[in-house]
PDB file of all heavy atoms in Angstrom:
ATOM      1  N   ASN A 153     110.486 100.136 104.521  1.00  0.00           N
ATOM      2  CA  ASN A 153     110.256  98.695 104.625  1.00  0.00           C
ATOM      3  C   ASN A 153     111.048  98.105 105.795  1.00  0.00           C
ATOM      4  O   ASN A 153     110.550  97.246 106.517  1.00  0.00           O
ATOM      5  CB  ASN A 153     110.664  98.003 103.321  1.00  0.00           C
ATOM      6  CG  ASN A 153     109.554  97.938 102.298  1.00  0.00           C
ATOM      7  OD1 ASN A 153     108.784  96.984 102.255  1.00  0.00           O
ATOM      8  ND2 ASN A 153     109.462  98.967 101.478  1.00  0.00           N
ATOM      9  N   ALA A 154     112.271  98.564 105.958  1.00  0.00           N
ATOM     10  CA  ALA A 154     113.102  98.038 107.042  1.00  0.00           C
ATOM     11  C   ALA A 154     112.585  98.455 108.411  1.00  0.00           C
ATOM     12  O   ALA A 154     112.787  97.743 109.400  1.00  0.00           O
ATOM     13  CB  ALA A 154     114.544  98.512 106.859  1.00  0.00           C
ATOM     14  N   ALA A 155     111.906  99.595 108.499  1.00  0.00           N
ATOM     15  CA  ALA A 155     111.445 100.119 109.784  1.00  0.00           C
ATOM     16  C   ALA A 155     110.033  99.670 110.144  1.00  0.00           C
ATOM     17  O   ALA A 155     109.637  99.728 111.317  1.00  0.00           O
ATOM     18  CB  ALA A 155     111.493 101.653 109.764  1.00  0.00           C
ATOM     19  N   ALA A 156     109.251  99.220 109.173  1.00  0.00           N
ATOM     20  CA  ALA A 156     107.848  98.883 109.405  1.00  0.00           C
ATOM     21  C   ALA A 156     107.706  97.533 110.116  1.00  0.00           C
ATOM     22  O   ALA A 156     108.682  96.807 110.326  1.00  0.00           O
ATOM     23  CB  ALA A 156     107.097  98.867 108.081  1.00  0.00           C
ATOM     24  N   THR A 157     106.462  97.195 110.459  1.00  0.00           N
ATOM     25  CA  THR A 157     106.187  95.971 111.208  1.00  0.00           C
ATOM     26  C   THR A 157     105.804  94.816 110.296  1.00  0.00           C
ATOM     27  O   THR A 157     106.322  93.707 110.422  1.00  0.00           O
ATOM     28  CB  THR A 157     105.042  96.225 112.220  1.00  0.00           C
ATOM     29  OG1 THR A 157     105.260  97.461 112.895  1.00  0.00           O
ATOM     30  CG2 THR A 157     104.975  95.112 113.241  1.00  0.00           C
ATOM     31  N   VAL A 158     104.884  95.059 109.376  1.00  0.00           N
ATOM     32  CA  VAL A 158     104.342  94.022 108.506  1.00  0.00           C
ATOM     33  C   VAL A 158     104.077  94.630 107.130  1.00  0.00           C
ATOM     34  O   VAL A 158     103.755  95.816 107.023  1.00  0.00           O
ATOM     35  CB  VAL A 158     103.007  93.450 109.061  1.00  0.00           C
ATOM     36  CG1 VAL A 158     102.566  92.222 108.253  1.00  0.00           C
ATOM     37  CG2 VAL A 158     103.087  93.115 110.526  1.00  0.00           C
ATOM     38  N   SER A 159     104.167  93.807 106.073  1.00  0.00           N
ATOM     39  CA  SER A 159     103.708  94.200 104.746  1.00  0.00           C
ATOM     40  C   SER A 159     102.468  93.382 104.402  1.00  0.00           C
ATOM     41  O   SER A 159     102.459  92.162 104.569  1.00  0.00           O
ATOM     42  CB  SER A 159     104.792  93.959 103.699  1.00  0.00           C
ATOM     43  OG  SER A 159     104.320  94.263 102.404  1.00  0.00           O
ATOM     44  N   LEU A 160     101.417  94.056 103.950  1.00  0.00           N
ATOM     45  CA  LEU A 160     100.168  93.401 103.583  1.00  0.00           C
ATOM     46  C   LEU A 160     100.096  93.276 102.062  1.00  0.00           C
ATOM     47  O   LEU A 160     100.047  94.280 101.352  1.00  0.00           O
ATOM     48  CB  LEU A 160      98.969  94.209 104.096  1.00  0.00           C
ATOM     49  CG  LEU A 160      98.918  94.456 105.603  1.00  0.00           C
ATOM     50  CD1 LEU A 160      97.694  95.310 105.949  1.00  0.00           C
ATOM     51  CD2 LEU A 160      98.889  93.137 106.378  1.00  0.00           C
ATOM     52  N   ASP A 161     100.090  92.047 101.578  1.00  0.00           N
ATOM     53  CA  ASP A 161     100.000  91.784 100.144  1.00  0.00           C
ATOM     54  C   ASP A 161      98.530  91.790  99.752  1.00  0.00           C
ATOM     55  O   ASP A 161      97.734  91.053 100.346  1.00  0.00           O
ATOM     56  CB  ASP A 161     100.609  90.407  99.867  1.00  0.00           C
ATOM     57  CG  ASP A 161     101.297  90.314  98.533  1.00  0.00           C
ATOM     58  OD1 ASP A 161     101.672  91.354  97.972  1.00  0.00           O
ATOM     59  OD2 ASP A 161     101.491  89.178  98.058  1.00  0.00           O
ATOM     60  N   PRO A 162      98.110  92.584  98.771  1.00  0.00           N
ATOM     61  CA  PRO A 162      96.701  92.565  98.384  1.00  0.00           C
ATOM     62  C   PRO A 162      96.278  91.189  97.873  1.00  0.00           C
ATOM     63  O   PRO A 162      97.105  90.427  97.364  1.00  0.00           O
ATOM     64  CB  PRO A 162      96.620  93.606  97.256  1.00  0.00           C
ATOM     65  CG  PRO A 162      97.839  94.441  97.394  1.00  0.00           C
ATOM     66  CD  PRO A 162      98.887  93.545  97.973  1.00  0.00           C
ATOM     67  N   ILE A 163      95.009  90.886  98.000  1.00  0.00           N
ATOM     68  CA  ILE A 163      94.506  89.627  97.452  1.00  0.00           C
ATOM     69  C   ILE A 163      94.144  89.840  95.982  1.00  0.00           C
ATOM     70  O   ILE A 163      93.901  90.960  95.541  1.00  0.00           O
ATOM     71  CB  ILE A 163      93.293  89.105  98.247  1.00  0.00           C
ATOM     72  CG1 ILE A 163      92.133  90.103  98.201  1.00  0.00           C
ATOM     73  CG2 ILE A 163      93.695  88.840  99.695  1.00  0.00           C
ATOM     74  CD1 ILE A 163      90.852  89.567  98.826  1.00  0.00           C
ATOM     75  N   HIS A 164      94.148  88.776  95.220  1.00  0.00           N
ATOM     76  CA  HIS A 164      93.838  88.732  93.786  1.00  0.00           C
ATOM     77  C   HIS A 164      94.972  89.263  92.906  1.00  0.00           C
ATOM     78  O   HIS A 164      95.224  88.718  91.849  1.00  0.00           O
ATOM     79  CB  HIS A 164      92.542  89.475  93.450  1.00  0.00           C
ATOM     80  CG  HIS A 164      91.333  88.999  94.205  1.00  0.00           C
ATOM     81  ND1 HIS A 164      90.982  87.664  94.279  1.00  0.00           N
ATOM     82  CD2 HIS A 164      90.398  89.672  94.926  1.00  0.00           C
ATOM     83  CE1 HIS A 164      89.886  87.544  95.007  1.00  0.00           C
ATOM     84  NE2 HIS A 164      89.517  88.737  95.408  1.00  0.00           N
ATOM     85  N   PHE A 165      95.626  90.336  93.304  1.00  0.00           N
ATOM     86  CA  PHE A 165      96.720  90.915  92.490  1.00  0.00           C
ATOM     87  C   PHE A 165      97.800  91.350  93.478  1.00  0.00           C
ATOM     88  O   PHE A 165      97.743  92.426  94.057  1.00  0.00           O
ATOM     89  CB  PHE A 165      96.209  92.107  91.682  1.00  0.00           C
ATOM     90  CG  PHE A 165      97.076  92.481  90.500  1.00  0.00           C
ATOM     91  CD1 PHE A 165      96.504  93.052  89.378  1.00  0.00           C
ATOM     92  CD2 PHE A 165      98.445  92.272  90.503  1.00  0.00           C
ATOM     93  CE1 PHE A 165      97.275  93.416  88.273  1.00  0.00           C
ATOM     94  CE2 PHE A 165      99.228  92.624  89.420  1.00  0.00           C
ATOM     95  CZ  PHE A 165      98.637  93.201  88.298  1.00  0.00           C
ATOM     96  N   CYS A 166      98.785  90.479  93.665  1.00  0.00           N
ATOM     97  CA  CYS A 166      99.753  90.684  94.746  1.00  0.00           C
ATOM     98  C   CYS A 166     100.957  91.485  94.261  1.00  0.00           C
ATOM     99  O   CYS A 166     101.023  91.931  93.130  1.00  0.00           O
ATOM    100  CB  CYS A 166     100.201  89.338  95.298  1.00  0.00           C
ATOM    101  SG  CYS A 166     101.258  88.387  94.182  1.00  0.00           S
ATOM    102  N   GLY A 167     101.926  91.663  95.129  1.00  0.00           N
ATOM    103  CA  GLY A 167     103.168  92.331  94.789  1.00  0.00           C
ATOM    104  C   GLY A 167     104.139  91.380  94.117  1.00  0.00           C
ATOM    105  O   GLY A 167     104.042  90.157  94.240  1.00  0.00           O
ATOM    106  N   GLY A 168     105.087  91.941  93.398  1.00  0.00           N
ATOM    107  CA  GLY A 168     106.173  91.174  92.800  1.00  0.00           C
ATOM    108  C   GLY A 168     107.485  91.819  93.181  1.00  0.00           C
ATOM    109  O   GLY A 168     108.149  91.417  94.147  1.00  0.00           O
ATOM    110  N   ASN A 169     107.858  92.868  92.463  1.00  0.00           N
ATOM    111  CA  ASN A 169     109.044  93.642  92.794  1.00  0.00           C
ATOM    112  C   ASN A 169     109.005  94.106  94.253  1.00  0.00           C
ATOM    113  O   ASN A 169     110.001  94.043  94.981  1.00  0.00           O
ATOM    114  CB  ASN A 169     109.127  94.852  91.857  1.00  0.00           C
ATOM    115  CG  ASN A 169     110.361  95.694  92.064  1.00  0.00           C
ATOM    116  OD1 ASN A 169     111.453  95.316  91.701  1.00  0.00           O
ATOM    117  ND2 ASN A 169     110.174  96.856  92.675  1.00  0.00           N
ATOM    118  N   THR A 170     107.829  94.564  94.709  1.00  0.00           N
ATOM    119  CA  THR A 170     107.685  95.052  96.079  1.00  0.00           C
ATOM    120  C   THR A 170     107.974  93.956  97.094  1.00  0.00           C
ATOM    121  O   THR A 170     108.554  94.217  98.156  1.00  0.00           O
ATOM    122  CB  THR A 170     106.263  95.595  96.294  1.00  0.00           C
ATOM    123  OG1 THR A 170     105.936  96.473  95.225  1.00  0.00           O
ATOM    124  CG2 THR A 170     106.160  96.350  97.603  1.00  0.00           C
ATOM    125  N   THR A 171     107.581  92.728  96.773  1.00  0.00           N
ATOM    126  CA  THR A 171     107.840  91.617  97.693  1.00  0.00           C
ATOM    127  C   THR A 171     109.322  91.286  97.740  1.00  0.00           C
ATOM    128  O   THR A 171     109.886  91.040  98.822  1.00  0.00           O
ATOM    129  CB  THR A 171     107.013  90.387  97.294  1.00  0.00           C
ATOM    130  OG1 THR A 171     105.627  90.739  97.271  1.00  0.00           O
ATOM    131  CG2 THR A 171     107.228  89.253  98.280  1.00  0.00           C
ATOM    132  N   TYR A 172     109.986  91.259  96.587  1.00  0.00           N
ATOM    133  CA  TYR A 172     111.438  91.068  96.587  1.00  0.00           C
ATOM    134  C   TYR A 172     112.100  92.080  97.524  1.00  0.00           C
ATOM    135  O   TYR A 172     112.979  91.732  98.328  1.00  0.00           O
ATOM    136  CB  TYR A 172     111.994  91.275  95.181  1.00  0.00           C
ATOM    137  CG  TYR A 172     112.018  90.058  94.280  1.00  0.00           C
ATOM    138  CD1 TYR A 172     111.178  89.975  93.177  1.00  0.00           C
ATOM    139  CD2 TYR A 172     112.911  89.020  94.501  1.00  0.00           C
ATOM    140  CE1 TYR A 172     111.215  88.883  92.326  1.00  0.00           C
ATOM    141  CE2 TYR A 172     112.964  87.927  93.649  1.00  0.00           C
ATOM    142  CZ  TYR A 172     112.113  87.856  92.561  1.00  0.00           C
ATOM    143  OH  TYR A 172     112.156  86.770  91.722  1.00  0.00           O
ATOM    144  N   GLU A 173     111.716  93.350  97.407  1.00  0.00           N
ATOM    145  CA  GLU A 173     112.367  94.409  98.178  1.00  0.00           C
ATOM    146  C   GLU A 173     112.034  94.308  99.663  1.00  0.00           C
ATOM    147  O   GLU A 173     112.907  94.508 100.519  1.00  0.00           O
ATOM    148  CB  GLU A 173     111.961  95.769  97.613  1.00  0.00           C
ATOM    149  CG  GLU A 173     112.530  95.997  96.215  1.00  0.00           C
ATOM    150  CD  GLU A 173     112.131  97.316  95.599  1.00  0.00           C
ATOM    151  OE1 GLU A 173     110.998  97.781  95.856  1.00  0.00           O
ATOM    152  OE2 GLU A 173     112.945  97.888  94.855  1.00  0.00           O
ATOM    153  N   ALA A 174     110.787  93.976 100.000  1.00  0.00           N
ATOM    154  CA  ALA A 174     110.414  93.834 101.409  1.00  0.00           C
ATOM    155  C   ALA A 174     111.192  92.691 102.066  1.00  0.00           C
ATOM    156  O   ALA A 174     111.746  92.843 103.164  1.00  0.00           O
ATOM    157  CB  ALA A 174     108.911  93.594 101.530  1.00  0.00           C
ATOM    158  N   LEU A 175     111.245  91.543 101.390  1.00  0.00           N
ATOM    159  CA  LEU A 175     111.939  90.395 101.968  1.00  0.00           C
ATOM    160  C   LEU A 175     113.438  90.661 102.111  1.00  0.00           C
ATOM    161  O   LEU A 175     114.072  90.214 103.073  1.00  0.00           O
ATOM    162  CB  LEU A 175     111.696  89.150 101.118  1.00  0.00           C
ATOM    163  CG  LEU A 175     110.233  88.680 101.032  1.00  0.00           C
ATOM    164  CD1 LEU A 175     110.104  87.505 100.073  1.00  0.00           C
ATOM    165  CD2 LEU A 175     109.699  88.314 102.411  1.00  0.00           C
ATOM    166  N   ALA A 176     114.008  91.406 101.171  1.00  0.00           N
ATOM    167  CA  ALA A 176     115.429  91.750 101.273  1.00  0.00           C
ATOM    168  C   ALA A 176     115.705  92.605 102.496  1.00  0.00           C
ATOM    169  O   ALA A 176     116.821  92.590 103.034  1.00  0.00           O
ATOM    170  CB  ALA A 176     115.888  92.484 100.015  1.00  0.00           C
ATOM    171  N   MET A 177     114.704  93.357 102.953  1.00  0.00           N
ATOM    172  CA  MET A 177     114.848  94.187 104.156  1.00  0.00           C
ATOM    173  C   MET A 177     114.437  93.432 105.424  1.00  0.00           C
ATOM    174  O   MET A 177     114.456  94.001 106.519  1.00  0.00           O
ATOM    175  CB  MET A 177     113.992  95.458 104.031  1.00  0.00           C
ATOM    176  CG  MET A 177     114.364  96.370 102.871  1.00  0.00           C
ATOM    177  SD  MET A 177     116.064  97.010 102.954  1.00  0.00           S
ATOM    178  CE  MET A 177     116.817  96.119 101.571  1.00  0.00           C
ATOM    179  N   GLY A 178     114.029  92.161 105.273  1.00  0.00           N
ATOM    180  CA  GLY A 178     113.601  91.378 106.431  1.00  0.00           C
ATOM    181  C   GLY A 178     112.185  91.674 106.876  1.00  0.00           C
ATOM    182  O   GLY A 178     111.789  91.297 107.981  1.00  0.00           O
ATOM    183  N   LEU A 179     111.377  92.329 106.031  1.00  0.00           N
ATOM    184  CA  LEU A 179     110.006  92.670 106.394  1.00  0.00           C
ATOM    185  C   LEU A 179     109.080  91.517 106.026  1.00  0.00           C
ATOM    186  O   LEU A 179     108.970  91.161 104.853  1.00  0.00           O
ATOM    187  CB  LEU A 179     109.575  93.944 105.666  1.00  0.00           C
ATOM    188  CG  LEU A 179     108.130  94.402 105.890  1.00  0.00           C
ATOM    189  CD1 LEU A 179     107.907  94.782 107.354  1.00  0.00           C
ATOM    190  CD2 LEU A 179     107.776  95.577 104.973  1.00  0.00           C
ATOM    191  N   PRO A 180     108.380  90.926 106.999  1.00  0.00           N
ATOM    192  CA  PRO A 180     107.443  89.842 106.673  1.00  0.00           C
ATOM    193  C   PRO A 180     106.296  90.348 105.806  1.00  0.00           C
ATOM    194  O   PRO A 180     105.704  91.396 106.078  1.00  0.00           O
ATOM    195  CB  PRO A 180     106.929  89.392 108.051  1.00  0.00           C
ATOM    196  CG  PRO A 180     107.959  89.871 109.033  1.00  0.00           C
ATOM    197  CD  PRO A 180     108.476  91.153 108.457  1.00  0.00           C
ATOM    198  N   VAL A 181     105.997  89.603 104.756  1.00  0.00           N
ATOM    199  CA  VAL A 181     104.898  89.908 103.850  1.00  0.00           C
ATOM    200  C   VAL A 181     103.825  88.842 104.043  1.00  0.00           C
ATOM    201  O   VAL A 181     104.096  87.652 103.866  1.00  0.00           O
ATOM    202  CB  VAL A 181     105.375  89.908 102.378  1.00  0.00           C
ATOM    203  CG1 VAL A 181     104.205  90.200 101.434  1.00  0.00           C
ATOM    204  CG2 VAL A 181     106.504  90.910 102.177  1.00  0.00           C
ATOM    205  N   VAL A 182     102.623  89.260 104.397  1.00  0.00           N
ATOM    206  CA  VAL A 182     101.507  88.317 104.518  1.00  0.00           C
ATOM    207  C   VAL A 182     100.792  88.279 103.183  1.00  0.00           C
ATOM    208  O   VAL A 182     100.444  89.318 102.615  1.00  0.00           O
ATOM    209  CB  VAL A 182     100.543  88.744 105.636  1.00  0.00           C
ATOM    210  CG1 VAL A 182      99.390  87.744 105.748  1.00  0.00           C
ATOM    211  CG2 VAL A 182     101.275  88.844 106.968  1.00  0.00           C
ATOM    212  N   THR A 183     100.563  87.073 102.669  1.00  0.00           N
ATOM    213  CA  THR A 183      99.977  86.935 101.334  1.00  0.00           C
ATOM    214  C   THR A 183      98.954  85.814 101.329  1.00  0.00           C
ATOM    215  O   THR A 183      98.980  84.915 102.179  1.00  0.00           O
ATOM    216  CB  THR A 183     101.081  86.668 100.288  1.00  0.00           C
ATOM    217  OG1 THR A 183     100.543  86.770  98.974  1.00  0.00           O
ATOM    218  CG2 THR A 183     101.723  85.303 100.480  1.00  0.00           C
ATOM    219  N   MET A 184      98.028  85.878 100.368  1.00  0.00           N
ATOM    220  CA  MET A 184      97.020  84.824 100.191  1.00  0.00           C
ATOM    221  C   MET A 184      96.925  84.525  98.698  1.00  0.00           C
ATOM    222  O   MET A 184      96.238  85.226  97.945  1.00  0.00           O
ATOM    223  CB  MET A 184      95.660  85.266 100.744  1.00  0.00           C
ATOM    224  CG  MET A 184      94.634  84.150 100.784  1.00  0.00           C
ATOM    225  SD  MET A 184      93.105  84.609 101.641  1.00  0.00           S
ATOM    226  CE  MET A 184      92.283  85.598 100.393  1.00  0.00           C
ATOM    227  N   PRO A 185      97.629  83.497  98.218  1.00  0.00           N
ATOM    228  CA  PRO A 185      97.657  83.210  96.780  1.00  0.00           C
ATOM    229  C   PRO A 185      96.274  82.918  96.213  1.00  0.00           C
ATOM    230  O   PRO A 185      95.424  82.336  96.879  1.00  0.00           O
ATOM    231  CB  PRO A 185      98.562  81.976  96.689  1.00  0.00           C
ATOM    232  CG  PRO A 185      99.389  82.013  97.939  1.00  0.00           C
ATOM    233  CD  PRO A 185      98.496  82.594  98.988  1.00  0.00           C
ATOM    234  N   SER A 186      96.088  83.333  94.951  1.00  0.00           N
ATOM    235  CA  SER A 186      94.846  83.063  94.234  1.00  0.00           C
ATOM    236  C   SER A 186      95.103  81.973  93.201  1.00  0.00           C
ATOM    237  O   SER A 186      96.170  81.360  93.172  1.00  0.00           O
ATOM    238  CB  SER A 186      94.351  84.341  93.558  1.00  0.00           C
ATOM    239  OG  SER A 186      95.232  84.692  92.492  1.00  0.00           O
ATOM    240  N   SER A 187      94.143  81.746  92.324  1.00  0.00           N
ATOM    241  CA  SER A 187      94.291  80.713  91.300  1.00  0.00           C
ATOM    242  C   SER A 187      95.144  81.168  90.126  1.00  0.00           C
ATOM    243  O   SER A 187      95.598  80.348  89.334  1.00  0.00           O
ATOM    244  CB  SER A 187      92.910  80.295  90.772  1.00  0.00           C
ATOM    245  OG  SER A 187      92.125  79.762  91.813  1.00  0.00           O
ATOM    246  N   PHE A 188      95.333  82.486  89.991  1.00  0.00           N
ATOM    247  CA  PHE A 188      96.009  83.038  88.829  1.00  0.00           C
ATOM    248  C   PHE A 188      97.380  83.581  89.196  1.00  0.00           C
ATOM    249  O   PHE A 188      97.602  84.032  90.330  1.00  0.00           O
ATOM    250  CB  PHE A 188      95.161  84.144  88.199  1.00  0.00           C
ATOM    251  CG  PHE A 188      93.810  83.682  87.744  1.00  0.00           C
ATOM    252  CD1 PHE A 188      92.679  83.964  88.484  1.00  0.00           C
ATOM    253  CD2 PHE A 188      93.674  82.944  86.579  1.00  0.00           C
ATOM    254  CE1 PHE A 188      91.428  83.532  88.072  1.00  0.00           C
ATOM    255  CE2 PHE A 188      92.424  82.498  86.147  1.00  0.00           C
ATOM    256  CZ  PHE A 188      91.301  82.796  86.907  1.00  0.00           C
ATOM    257  N   LEU A 189      98.278  83.579  88.229  1.00  0.00           N
ATOM    258  CA  LEU A 189      99.655  84.011  88.452  1.00  0.00           C
ATOM    259  C   LEU A 189      99.722  85.369  89.151  1.00  0.00           C
ATOM    260  O   LEU A 189     100.550  85.587  90.030  1.00  0.00           O
ATOM    261  CB  LEU A 189     100.393  84.065  87.105  1.00  0.00           C
ATOM    262  CG  LEU A 189     101.892  84.393  87.093  1.00  0.00           C
ATOM    263  CD1 LEU A 189     102.530  83.835  85.838  1.00  0.00           C
ATOM    264  CD2 LEU A 189     102.190  85.880  87.183  1.00  0.00           C
ATOM    265  N   ARG A 190      98.843  86.300  88.775  1.00  0.00           N
ATOM    266  CA  ARG A 190      98.920  87.659  89.311  1.00  0.00           C
ATOM    267  C   ARG A 190      98.723  87.718  90.826  1.00  0.00           C
ATOM    268  O   ARG A 190      99.028  88.727  91.442  1.00  0.00           O
ATOM    269  CB  ARG A 190      97.896  88.561  88.611  1.00  0.00           C
ATOM    270  CG  ARG A 190      96.457  88.100  88.694  1.00  0.00           C
ATOM    271  CD  ARG A 190      95.557  89.014  87.874  1.00  0.00           C
ATOM    272  NE  ARG A 190      94.187  88.525  87.766  1.00  0.00           N
ATOM    273  CZ  ARG A 190      93.740  87.749  86.789  1.00  0.00           C
ATOM    274  NH1 ARG A 190      94.575  87.336  85.850  1.00  0.00           N
ATOM    275  NH2 ARG A 190      92.474  87.376  86.744  1.00  0.00           N
ATOM    276  N   GLY A 191      98.220  86.643  91.404  1.00  0.00           N
ATOM    277  CA  GLY A 191      98.063  86.618  92.848  1.00  0.00           C
ATOM    278  C   GLY A 191      98.980  85.636  93.545  1.00  0.00           C
ATOM    279  O   GLY A 191      98.813  85.370  94.741  1.00  0.00           O
ATOM    280  N   ARG A 192      99.985  85.095  92.825  1.00  0.00           N
ATOM    281  CA  ARG A 192     100.770  83.994  93.369  1.00  0.00           C
ATOM    282  C   ARG A 192     102.262  84.281  93.493  1.00  0.00           C
ATOM    283  O   ARG A 192     103.026  83.416  93.922  1.00  0.00           O
ATOM    284  CB  ARG A 192     100.576  82.751  92.482  1.00  0.00           C
ATOM    285  CG  ARG A 192      99.145  82.275  92.390  1.00  0.00           C
ATOM    286  CD  ARG A 192      98.997  81.057  91.483  1.00  0.00           C
ATOM    287  NE  ARG A 192      99.749  79.924  91.995  1.00  0.00           N
ATOM    288  CZ  ARG A 192      99.308  79.084  92.914  1.00  0.00           C
ATOM    289  NH1 ARG A 192      98.103  79.247  93.440  1.00  0.00           N
ATOM    290  NH2 ARG A 192     100.058  78.083  93.320  1.00  0.00           N
ATOM    291  N   ILE A 193     102.701  85.476  93.138  1.00  0.00           N
ATOM    292  CA  ILE A 193     104.145  85.735  93.087  1.00  0.00           C
ATOM    293  C   ILE A 193     104.769  85.697  94.477  1.00  0.00           C
ATOM    294  O   ILE A 193     105.796  85.044  94.696  1.00  0.00           O
ATOM    295  CB  ILE A 193     104.422  87.074  92.379  1.00  0.00           C
ATOM    296  CG1 ILE A 193     103.886  87.019  90.948  1.00  0.00           C
ATOM    297  CG2 ILE A 193     105.916  87.384  92.379  1.00  0.00           C
ATOM    298  CD1 ILE A 193     103.875  88.349  90.232  1.00  0.00           C
ATOM    299  N   SER A 194     104.166  86.371  95.447  1.00  0.00           N
ATOM    300  CA  SER A 194     104.737  86.380  96.799  1.00  0.00           C
ATOM    301  C   SER A 194     104.770  84.976  97.380  1.00  0.00           C
ATOM    302  O   SER A 194     105.763  84.570  98.013  1.00  0.00           O
ATOM    303  CB  SER A 194     103.927  87.314  97.714  1.00  0.00           C
ATOM    304  OG  SER A 194     103.951  88.628  97.224  1.00  0.00           O
ATOM    305  N   GLY A 195     103.711  84.201  97.179  1.00  0.00           N
ATOM    306  CA  GLY A 195     103.689  82.830  97.672  1.00  0.00           C
ATOM    307  C   GLY A 195     104.774  81.981  97.033  1.00  0.00           C
ATOM    308  O   GLY A 195     105.382  81.127  97.690  1.00  0.00           O
ATOM    309  N   ALA A 196     105.046  82.218  95.739  1.00  0.00           N
ATOM    310  CA  ALA A 196     106.098  81.466  95.054  1.00  0.00           C
ATOM    311  C   ALA A 196     107.471  81.806  95.625  1.00  0.00           C
ATOM    312  O   ALA A 196     108.334  80.926  95.769  1.00  0.00           O
ATOM    313  CB  ALA A 196     106.061  81.760  93.559  1.00  0.00           C
TER     314      ALA A 196
END
């Protein structure tokens, strides 16, 4: 995560734990929140 360029968050069912870890390493996560909680964690 620290060495990569970008993290791609899936649509409809995004990352949670994975997003915490990517952001802690300074890796930008691109996300597109949905209407349901399962797609909104990274955006939150």
Side-chain angles (χ1 to χ4, degrees):
N153 272 270
T157 315
V158 189
S159 176
L160 302 178
D161 213 21
I163 61 173
H164 304 310
F165 199 150
C166 71
N169 183 73
T170 311
T171 303
Y172 272 111
E173 292 179 326
L175 297 175
M177 299 299 111
L179 177 64
V181 179
V182 180
T183 190
M184 189 172 78
S186 69
S187 299
F188 300 103
L189 185 156
R190 57 184 172 268
R192 300 179 62 84
I193 299 170
S194 299

